[in-house]
Amino acid sequence: MSSNNLLLTPIEYLKGVGPSRGELLRKELGIHKYGDLLNFYPNRYIDRTRYYKINELQNNVAEVQIIGKIINVKTVEFAKGRKRLVATFIDDTGQMELVWFQGHKWVRESLKLNEAIVIFGKCTSFNGMYNMAHPEIELWSEHQQSLRSAMQPVYPSTETLTNRGISNRSVSKMMQQLFLETQALFSETLPDYLIQNLKLIPKNAALFNIHFPKSAEALAKAQFRLKFEELFFIQIQLIMKNLIQKHKIKGHPFTKVGEFFNEFYQNHLPFELTNAQKRVIKEIRTDMGSNAQMNRLLQGDVGSGKTIVAFMSMLLAMDNGFQACLMAPTEILANQHFTGLSELANKLNINIKILTGSTKTSERRIIHEALENGTLQILIGTHALLEDKVKFQNLGLAIIDEQHRFGVEQRSKLWKKNHIPPHILVMTATPIPRTLAMSLYGDLDISVIDELPPGRKPIQTVHRYDSNRLKVWKFIRDEIAIGRQIYIVYPLIQESEKMDYKDLMDGYESISRDFPLPKYAISIVHGKMKPADKDAEMKRFAEGKTNIMVATTVIEVGVNVPNASVMIIESAERFGLSQLHQLRGRVGRGADQSYCILMTSHKLSADSKTRMETMVRTNDGFEISEVDLKLRGPGNLMGTQQSGVLNLQIADIVKDREILSLARAHAIKILSEDAPLQKPEHATLKAVYLELTKKKNIWNYIS
Ligand code: ADP
Ligand code: MG
């Protein structure tokens, strides 16, 4: 009989827990049932097989244990009326102090001089002498006899838990009780052949060793097994979701390549497509031509030419009698798409309009009507497109630009705009490392534009300190003199918005002084301006009427002014790598040599230095995002903040990316051979899968 039913027992029934502790466990750790406790894994282990010598100690290493003896004990007054107990502890390599701030009398009586003992605790050094405060002490003779697991687990905790007396030891005790009550008969979750092939340890053994490791080796095997399992089941769910979509969700098959597409391709294409663009258009065409709904992520570095791909996909929708829409994260960007795409659409007599928060009511009415009666073929816009009032006659393709600004929910909102969901194309310029893309967008098919249009000169990037500003300014004057335009960007980060705003305005004033009218004209754009004013300023800059654009990161995404050749980023150390890369992508869009200048102060953290060096070294967005992922971890990776990060129990996407690849490969293999999981050897797998999908939607992993 397996213990699995017992795992549904409420946690307060566990002996030694009870209602009040149960309440705490629920509130603080989300442990509701026996099963939750079982899956509550230690976040580190202390190696109790290792004994340190005093001369091996380093400051603030994790807890250590040392064998030695106490040779004297004294009470020291260290402040008026405040005493502490200090013992001198020696081994054959040196001496150190043991210190107690409380419980002197009782401690003093229990200390045995000149007898072999083992002390355990955290060491710090003070005035060249190591000391350990409130050590755990055990007689060596007793220590040798006491049974302990070699690696002692340390569980995650919270301040409230510690204050309410639920120590690491109490959690360990609960865990022991749990294993006792359930007899540790936990059923296997992975197919036998997979366990054999990958030499995994059984689930039972893994759970036992994660909580009570017999050795470092056993622990490593347990961790591998549980990490693999966790990632494997996420992949199974994601891939299954994708398969189900393909089967169940009928799309509009765009079977025709017709007049719009061909006319454009033959007569109006403004440039020769790159091979990557051609390949991706083909992928999209095939996908939309099938009976299933397309759900595709289009990744392409800044400036790789995603817009034309989007446009040509829209033409396919129209060739098949459908409408298309494109949603951008900001008004500036929506406007820009509208301007660019209108030019192309007008050549084909396509009716195209824009809808944003600032669209006038009268215009709105016209748009709503034209959408419903089908005379409006392409609608560009912002979040405004998601409003319920916006109804299409037959939306066939919805394109979302710069995915990371939108959540998953918005994606699905677009879906509901039609009886049959439209094909969805999500475009992102934030290159997401493959490993992360697999986990976050495992349900999407991925197309990559991995080639820049020809003739682009790589942007030259330099890092300059504030003290070099005069030289930088001279460089700007020279560039302006030959007709180029300049961006100067200031950080604007929400928490310190007031400060940043002041920095921006101070910067603007001093730039205005250094680049005075009438010789120079300066634009400024920031988040506090009215959309109409922002647009007017952007327009002036885009038309070449101003030389310098002083801005916050509102210009980060998508803005296209090919004549701008210099991007100066102020306080560059305050930006993340992806953001720096996005900003840099605003230049280098024309035929001229472009530059990016990262201005920082002299004081830089190690991470900031790495960021600057990476930017100077490479223009490759994928390489940059890999470094970013390593530096910051997936939780902070730009682009994952909104779309969410996997909320994993034991695996770590950054550190365990190899296990992730392995898990994904096996998940793909299994589902490509037996998608319904009908084979007898997949019975367990199917049961676990059904349990998981019943319990939580896959998107719950993505918090
Ligand atoms: P992004 O992928 O960043 O959205 P865009 O679609 O805005 O890039 O394209 C960047 C610039 O490159 C635009 O000015 C666009 O007209 C131009 N472009 C795109 N594809 C090509 C190509 N195949 N050849 C030449 N220029 C191109
Ligand atoms: Mg773009």
Side-chain angles (χ1 to χ4, degrees):
M1 145 97 201
S2 97
S3 324
N4 282 31
N5 292 338
L6 277 173
L7 294 182
L8 300 175
T9 315
I11 195 66
E12 57 263 38
Y13 292 128
L14 190 74
K15 197 171 156 232
V17 176
S20 78
R21 283 183 148 200
E23 184 65 23
L24 268 177
L25 290 176
R26 267 195 296 275
K27 269 208 186 124
E28 294 294 307
L29 301 172
I31 295 175
H32 297 258
K33 298 180 177 147
Y34 280 25
D36 299 327
L37 182 62
L38 184 64
N39 293 324
F40 181 59
Y41 301 135
N43 52 9
R44 64 192 178 89
Y45 298 82
I46 300 160
D47 185 354
R48 303 269 333 223
T49 57
R50 161 126 206 232
Y51 298 93
Y52 282 76
K53 294 286 186 188
I54 290 175
N55 68 359
E56 289 177 313
L57 294 180
Q58 284 168 2
N59 221 358
N60 281 322
V61 293
E63 292 89 338
V64 293
Q65 57 185 354
I66 311 168
I67 307 166
K69 59 187 179 184
I70 293 173
I71 52 170
N72 70 59
V73 183
K74 56 182 189 273
T75 305
V76 181
E77 184 166 312
F78 65 99
K80 202 163 160 44
R82 300 186 57 192
K83 291 178 187 153
R84 64 182 164 206
L85 188 65
V86 178
T88 309
F89 177 84
I90 61 164
D91 70 1
D92 50 7
T93 69
Q95 83 175 49
M96 63 184 289
E97 285 177 343
L98 311 181
V99 186
W100 290 264
F101 301 96
Q102 287 146 24
H104 296 173
K105 185 164 176 287
W106 173 79
V107 174
R108 188 162 199 153
E109 278 164 10
S110 68
L111 292 181
K112 295 209 163 72
L113 293 193
N114 297 311
E115 243 189 284
I117 57 171
V118 181
I119 60 167
F120 177 77
K122 217 167 159 153
C123 284
T124 51
S125 107
F126 182 70
N127 282 344
M129 170 80 91
Y130 278 99
N131 68 73
M132 189 184 283
H134 294 247
E136 270 178 37
I137 295 184
E138 204 174 13
L139 285 174
W140 173 237
S141 50
E142 284 168 16
H143 180 86
Q144 280 173 301
Q145 279 159 26
S146 68
L147 262 179
R148 72 190 69 243
S149 96
M151 311 291 291
Q152 190 170 303
V154 181
Y155 290 93
S157 187
T158 67
E159 212 177 309
T160 312
L161 283 180
T162 317
N163 290 343
R164 300 277 297 269
I166 300 191
S167 63
N168 193 53
R169 223 162 142 161
S170 348
V171 178
S172 284
K173 271 195 183 147
M174 290 176 204
M175 207 62 82
Q176 279 177 29
Q177 184 61 31
L178 177 78
F179 274 71
L180 208 71
E181 286 186 28
T182 58
Q183 297 183 299
L185 297 171
F186 308 116
S187 35
E188 187 48 66
T189 47
L190 293 174
D192 278 344
Y193 69 89
L194 202 57
I195 294 176
Q196 305 288 335
N197 288 350
L198 297 173
K199 299 195 168 65
L200 300 175
I201 60 171
K203 176 87 179 204
N204 246 344
L207 285 171
F208 185 84
N209 277 293
I210 207 78
H211 293 297
F212 311 102
K214 288 202 190 104
S215 64
E217 203 197 343
L219 175 62
K221 282 187 178 155
Q223 286 171 323
F224 185 85
R225 149 86 211 212
L226 294 173
K227 285 174 178 180
F228 177 87
E229 175 175 345
E230 180 168 43
L231 296 168
F232 174 78
F233 278 110
I234 290 173
Q235 291 303 319
I236 288 277
Q237 289 177 81
L238 284 168
I239 297 162
M240 199 73 110
K241 190 164 178 246
N242 177 304
L243 290 175
I244 290 172
Q245 264 168 16
K246 286 224 164 97
H247 279 94
K248 275 207 200 137
I249 300 175
K250 267 190 34 199
H252 314 281
F254 291 179
T255 47
K256 272 198 303 210
V257 177
E259 193 70 359
F260 285 116
F261 190 94
N262 287 329
E263 164 75 7
F264 181 76
Y265 193 75
Q266 279 151 25
N267 302 322
H268 304 291
L269 205 56
F271 35 68
E272 170 102 19
L273 295 176
T274 63
N275 285 328
Q277 285 170 322
K278 285 183 195 160
R279 190 191 64 234
V280 165
I281 290 172
K282 211 167 152 191
E283 285 168 1
I284 293 171
R285 212 175 76 189
T286 312
D287 207 355
M288 294 195 304
S290 78
N291 279 316
Q293 181 216 15
M294 174 173 79
N295 264 291
R296 187 165 284 275
L297 178 70
L298 172 57
Q299 282 198 42
D301 210 343
V302 187
S304 61
K306 294 184 290 296
T307 316
I308 197 88
V309 172
F311 183 68
M312 292 175 74
S313 310
M314 291 176 160
L315 294 181
L316 285 170
M318 268 161 280
D319 276 339
N320 289 275
F322 287 96
Q323 295 166 301
C325 71
L326 188 158
M327 185 164 80
T330 65
E331 211 158 318
I332 290 182
L333 199 52
N335 270 312
Q336 194 170 300
H337 272 308
F338 179 66
T339 314
L341 295 179
S342 296
E343 221 173 276
L344 302 174
N346 290 341
K347 292 182 181 154
L348 301 167
N349 284 321
I350 289 170
N351 188 6
I352 177 171
K353 289 217 178 317
I354 179 165
L355 179 71
T356 69
S358 42
T359 305
K360 290 200 189 76
T361 320
S362 54
E363 173 70 7
R364 248 166 222 267
R365 224 172 277 137
I366 297 171
I367 290 176
H368 289 166
E369 208 182 296
L371 269 185
E372 290 196 54
N373 68 27
T375 49
L376 181 53
Q377 291 148 296
I378 298 183
L379 183 61
I380 311 290
T382 55
H383 285 87
L385 296 192
L386 298 173
E387 286 165 15
D388 291 334
K389 274 188 226 143
V390 180
K391 294 195 189 87
F392 292 80
Q393 188 192 53
N394 54 359
L395 180 64
L397 170 65
I399 301 180
I400 307 176
D401 195 13
E402 311 298 349
Q403 151 78 2
H404 62 274
R405 300 283 173 116
F406 296 108
V408 170
E409 268 178 39
Q410 278 143 335
R411 243 205 273 158
S412 65
K413 241 185 175 172
L414 273 173
W415 270 41
K416 294 177 187 130
K417 293 265 168 203
N418 238 13
H419 300 304
I420 299 180
H423 296 298
I424 304 261
L425 181 67
V426 174
M427 306 197 289
T428 173
T430 306
I432 302 160
R434 263 193 74 74
T435 42
L436 199 59
M438 272 191 236
S439 322
L440 293 179
Y441 305 111
D443 63 323
L444 298 180
D445 295 304
I446 299 180
S447 287
V448 182
I449 305 184
D450 49 6
E451 181 187 355
L452 291 181
R456 293 271 172 80
K457 296 195 182 72
I459 302 162
Q460 282 180 28
T461 303
V462 292
H463 171 203
R464 294 284 179 264
Y465 295 107
D466 292 332
S467 49
N468 302 125
R469 189 170 295 279
L470 282 181
K471 277 194 189 150
V472 173
W473 270 193
K474 158 127 185 18
F475 178 72
I476 295 184
R477 283 195 190 94
D478 293 346
E479 282 288 302
I480 294 177
I482 56 170
R484 304 282 119 75
Q485 290 165 283
I486 319 291
Y487 289 107
I488 304 180
V489 174
Y490 286 81
L492 199 129
I493 297 158
Q494 227 126 50
E495 303 102 66
S496 50
E497 206 179 323
K498 267 198 189 127
M499 260 295 280
D500 291 334
Y501 187 68
K502 187 174 176 305
D503 284 354
L504 172 77
M505 293 323 278
D506 288 352
Y508 176 66
E509 266 173 37
S510 84
I511 292 162
S512 305
R513 242 179 285 121
D514 293 340
F515 298 87
L517 283 164
K519 192 168 176 195
Y520 301 99
I522 304 174
S523 286
I524 180 164
V525 167
H526 57 77
K528 291 196 175 168
M529 287 164 69
K530 286 200 197 102
D533 296 342
K534 261 193 257 179
D535 288 346
E537 280 293 284
M538 266 318 296
K539 200 157 164 244
R540 265 172 16 110
F541 185 68
E543 287 168 352
K545 291 184 179 144
T546 54
N547 313 100
I548 300 177
M549 163 61 78
V550 177
T552 57
T553 49
V554 292
I555 60 137
E556 177 194 332
V557 204
V559 171
N560 192 18
V561 181
N563 189 49
S565 65
V566 184
M567 165 62 65
I568 296 178
I569 305 174
E570 297 286 344
S571 306
E573 68 270 33
R574 293 181 53 196
F575 291 92
L577 263 178
S578 315
Q579 220 177 355
L580 290 172
H581 181 63
Q582 285 289 320
L583 286 169
R584 176 167 63 181
R586 298 310 106 213
V587 297
R589 311 197 131 227
D592 309 305
Q593 177 62 55
S594 293
Y595 307 88
C596 173
I597 304 175
L598 307 167
M599 302 294 298
T600 73
S601 65
H602 274 279
K603 263 203 217 147
L604 287 182
S605 69
D607 278 7
S608 301
K609 267 194 199 129
T610 309
R611 288 202 295 272
M612 298 309 128
E613 283 161 12
T614 307
M615 287 294 292
V616 170
R617 183 183 73 238
T618 179
N619 274 304
D620 179 346
F622 283 92
E623 188 180 337
I624 288 169
S625 74
E626 292 283 346
V627 176
D628 202 20
L629 188 57
K630 272 185 208 140
L631 279 182
R632 306 170 74 189
N636 295 314
L637 192 73
M638 163 92 180
T640 63
Q641 281 142 344
Q642 283 94 343
S643 55
V645 178
L646 291 176
N647 189 0
L648 299 171
Q649 205 115 39
I650 185 164
D652 175 322
I653 297 204
V654 184
K655 291 186 194 133
D656 302 322
R657 49 223 306 203
E658 278 172 22
I659 307 180
L660 172 60
S661 299
L662 186 72
R664 180 165 173 85
H666 283 280
I668 289 174
K669 186 158 182 292
I670 288 174
L671 291 178
S672 65
E673 287 163 7
D674 180 25
L677 297 175
Q678 274 168 337
K679 292 187 183 169
E681 64 265 37
H682 292 151
T684 325
L685 195 62
K686 184 166 193 170
V688 178
Y689 166 76
L690 289 176
E691 189 60 32
L692 282 171
T693 45
K694 193 173 69 188
K695 221 167 36 191
K696 47 182 168 183
N697 189 292
I698 182 65
W699 297 116
N700 292 358
Y701 280 108
I702 297 169
S703 53

